[in-house]
Amino acid sequence: MGSLSLGDVELIEDDDNNTGLLWFIPNFSNKKEIRKKSMPIEVKNFASQADESKDMPNARMEAVNVLGQRVMKLTLAPDWKWSTDIKPIVGTPSCQATHTGIIIEGTIHCVCDDGSEATYSAGDAYAISPNHDAWCVGGKRAVVYEFAGAWGE
């Protein structure tokens, strides 16, 4: 097999296998170091490997940390309401956290202090700014996964 350096690309002719193939690969000065590095992957199960779990009135929060990112699973009872269940614990007039997530079960209605509101249901992605109240609707529990925000902290 022969090779020719072309600056940022190295041309390698594959004569060993008589295929006639030419390979273009990046010409890194430290190929051994580059090959040792791999894309890190971390997988955790909320039920069996939660880094944190917390039961609150009408809610359960489970959190995992994967590659330094906190991901939360929130299971909210059918009659969960932030202003009834969480407000007495945190002592603020409305929720002061930012939330970004996906709802996979149930429906939640959110009303912001400025009067804007939205209802989101299974399959919806959402982002909510601070200063809001929220509650489950439809008499069913809600399950959400949040990727940013301070829920449960």
Side-chain angles (χ1 to χ4, degrees):
M1 177 164 50
S3 68
L4 170 68
S5 179
L6 301 172
D8 291 338
V9 175
E10 188 171 0
L11 172 65
I12 299 177
E13 185 177 2
D14 187 1
D15 289 334
D16 294 344
N17 296 322
N18 294 322
T19 61
L21 294 176
L22 298 176
W23 299 90
F24 294 91
I25 63 169
N27 184 13
F28 298 110
S29 59
N30 190 353
K31 290 180 199 139
K32 287 184 182 177
E33 175 110 9
I34 299 290
R35 289 183 184 142
K36 287 181 185 176
K37 293 184 179 180
S38 64
M39 177 116 182
I41 298 172
E42 185 174 13
V43 177
K44 288 187 179 177
N45 182 281
F46 285 94
S48 62
Q49 297 173 305
D51 293 305
E52 179 185 0
S53 61
K54 185 185 294 186
D55 288 311
M56 293 166 275
N58 289 314
R60 175 162 178 80
M61 184 277 301
E62 297 161 288
V64 295
N65 294 304
V66 286
L67 293 180
Q69 175 65 48
R70 184 173 191 213
V71 182
M72 293 170 284
K73 177 184 179 184
L74 308 169
T75 304
L76 308 172
D79 56 346
W80 176 84
K81 186 173 185 177
W82 186 91
S83 56
T84 303
D85 297 317
I86 308 302
K87 179 180 177 176
I89 296 169
V90 298
T92 57
S94 58
C95 181
Q96 301 300 300
T98 298
H99 305 275
T100 302
I102 300 167
I103 182 168
I104 64 161
E105 184 180 331
T107 301
I108 296 175
H109 186 74
C110 181
V111 177
C112 295
D113 291 355
D114 70 0
S116 57
E117 58 186 287
T119 299
Y120 45 104
S121 298
D124 292 338
Y126 60 89
I128 305 167
S129 297
N131 303 310
H132 59 270
D133 191 7
W135 55 90
C136 290
V137 296
K140 295 181 181 177
R141 78 175 190 165
V143 179
V144 303
Y145 288 88
E146 293 200 346
F147 303 94
W151 212 100
E153 293 182 339

